[in-house]
Amino acid sequence: MDMATIRTTAGRGRLYDSVLDTVGDTPVIRVNNLGPAGVRLYVKAEFFNPADSVKDRLALNIIEAAERDGSLRPGQTVVEATSGNTGIGLAMVCAQKGYPLVVTMADSFSVERRKLMRMLGARVILTPRAQKGTGMYMKAAELAAKHGWFLARQFETSANADIHEATTAREIIADFAGDRLDYVVTGYGTGGTVAGLSRVLRRERPETKIILSEPANAGLLASGIPQDRGPDGAPAKSHPAFEPHPIQGWTPDFIPNVLQEAVDHHGYDQLVPVSGAAGLDGARKLARREGIMTGISGGATFAVAMGLAETAAPGTVILAMLPDTAERYLTTPLFEAIPEAMDEAEMEISRSTPGYQIG
Ligand code: PMP
């Protein structure tokens, strides 16, 4: 072993009191094998969070903000509507802190999500996919009202964008201190990421362009049609520009109130549509060429970043948010073309030595 060149580590220099203390401080990673020469592409890898997604951040903050202001009582059941990642994050937090959790989720989202939440001790109430995001949303509100449960309200609560302002954005500011940062690319589900990032970046990195993306076939913001809302900011009905799309976690069938802040306060510079197919392709390329495993929304965000890189001047620096991990999509179109059995080339390798063959 050559001790002069081998990579070594020194530990994190601390012992963690709880899994909750491991949320955040995710790495920004250079993309080396994709994209044009002369442009520096980076990704912020949110799958380094303990429950593998960006939503661990707001799950923790929603619970702790509610503990601080007394709206969540010890032992009270928490209920929330989620496309999965918020539910998984909440299940992790509730397991650690001892709150029962009930999640409502449309039955179109990946089976992995259901199983992970149940593994973490949550109950998962499926809602019909035909009733879209508003269906699971209304179900959570109904259950909260009927049973006196604490409704997490990720689509409206200030605890969502606040935690991205306090952590995600601060990490980007710190990691790019003294360096260029021309573009930050993100999509939206609740809009917490873009709203929190833009609060900080507008103030501290005004030269950085914030690029927001949404599915090409569900251009809610692109349509310019405002969202019908009730007095508490909750969606009153499904947005007319919505179509079902494969980018799980992005763009529900309404414009969330949390996202509305970014719309109203010029929180992004450009809105770029991206197709589901481009998202799948982006995630596959990141896996195969970079060894970086992200979900469909990460692939879509990266595809938009690659598009910007293609026409960008040399020296441009671009950061794409990667919200979660590819492993959350094993049963979805992302892995459809990945076989379980050996293909012909693998069989040939197997047969190239005499022993230990199957079939
Ligand atoms: N991608 C995935 C996979 C998600 O689960 C979410 C959150 N629903 C997002 C992106 C969007 O994040 P935000 O809610 O902060 O807009």
Side-chain angles (χ1 to χ4, degrees):
M1 212 159 55
D2 182 358
M3 294 308 288
T5 56
I6 193 170
R7 292 171 189 242
T8 63
T9 55
R12 294 195 181 206
R14 61 177 287 196
L15 300 172
Y16 289 83
D17 289 332
S18 144
V19 68
L20 305 180
D21 296 343
T22 70
V23 173
D25 263 333
T26 56
V28 168
I29 304 169
R30 176 95 185 247
V31 169
N32 296 297
N33 305 319
L34 295 166
V39 172
R40 274 190 289 149
L41 267 170
Y42 290 91
V43 292
K44 187 160 172 62
E46 290 297 309
F47 49 80
F48 276 83
N49 281 299
D52 303 331
S53 95
V54 67
K55 309 300 294 225
D56 292 358
R57 297 174 185 267
L58 92 149
L60 180 56
N61 196 44
I62 284 176
I63 298 301
E64 293 197 331
E67 286 176 335
R68 283 193 298 270
D69 71 18
S71 53
L72 175 60
R73 297 185 304 277
Q76 190 181 5
T77 295
V78 175
V79 60
E80 181 60 326
T82 163
S83 65
N85 282 327
T86 296
I88 294 165
L90 281 172
M92 180 256 303
V93 174
C94 288
Q96 174 60 219
K97 286 179 174 278
Y99 297 102
L101 173 66
V102 175
V103 159
T104 62
M105 187 172 80
D107 65 353
S108 48
F109 295 109
S110 78
V111 168
E112 290 84 330
R113 288 162 153 76
R114 302 177 196 176
K115 289 208 173 190
L116 287 166
M117 286 186 270
R118 289 178 175 139
M119 175 83 180
L120 286 159
R123 294 217 154 83
V124 182
I125 311 305
L126 297 172
T127 60
R129 66 188 68 192
Q131 292 177 356
K132 298 179 263 192
T134 46
M136 65 192 200
Y137 180 98
M138 301 298 180
K139 186 68 177 178
E142 269 181 25
L143 289 170
K146 161 107 185 180
H147 300 289
W149 292 342
F150 171 76
L151 182 60
R153 295 171 61 84
Q154 60 164 331
F155 296 101
E156 288 95 31
T157 180
S158 61
N160 184 346
D162 287 355
I163 196 63
H164 292 292
E165 178 182 8
T167 66
T168 323
R170 299 275 26 122
E171 294 163 24
I172 292 171
I173 294 288
D175 290 350
F176 283 93
D179 202 345
R180 274 177 79 156
L181 181 56
D182 300 284
Y183 296 97
V184 172
V185 189
T186 180
Y188 67 83
T190 61
T193 305
V194 66
L197 289 186
S198 64
R199 283 181 197 167
V200 174
L201 291 173
R202 290 306 199 215
R203 204 166 55 228
E204 298 186 30
R205 299 293 298 244
E207 81 286 6
T208 301
K209 299 267 183 285
I210 300 172
I211 310 300
L212 188 62
S213 187
E214 62 183 355
N217 69 330
L220 273 55
L221 295 180
S223 76
I225 303 169
Q227 176 67 44
D228 257 341
R229 298 183 192 286
D232 57 354
K237 62 171 193 256
S238 197
H239 193 282
F242 181 81
E243 289 281 339
H245 61 79
I247 310 174
Q248 299 192 23
W250 268 23
T251 312
D253 67 318
F254 57 93
I255 299 172
N257 220 31
V258 170
L259 175 65
Q260 194 66 47
E261 172 190 323
V263 177
D264 294 344
H265 294 97
H266 187 57
Y268 56 91
D269 297 278
Q270 211 186 320
L271 184 65
V272 179
V274 65
S275 69
L280 294 166
D281 185 56
R284 290 180 186 129
K285 282 199 175 111
L286 274 175
R288 187 161 286 221
R289 302 286 310 283
E290 297 288 337
I292 294 173
M293 289 201 294
T294 190
I296 305 168
S297 69
T301 311
F302 182 69
V304 171
M306 288 268 278
L308 291 170
E310 265 147 35
T311 55
T316 299
V317 178
I318 304 175
L319 173 65
M321 293 297 296
L322 302 185
D324 72 356
T325 168
E327 289 185 29
R328 207 141 280 176
Y329 301 86
L330 288 166
T331 64
T332 75
L334 187 55
F335 279 79
E336 215 164 58
I338 310 286
E340 259 175 59
M342 287 193 280
D343 65 13
E344 203 29 61
E346 289 164 338
M347 288 298 288
E348 207 176 304
I349 295 169
S350 174
R351 286 192 296 260
S352 68
T353 62
Y356 313 107
Q357 298 185 28
I358 67 157

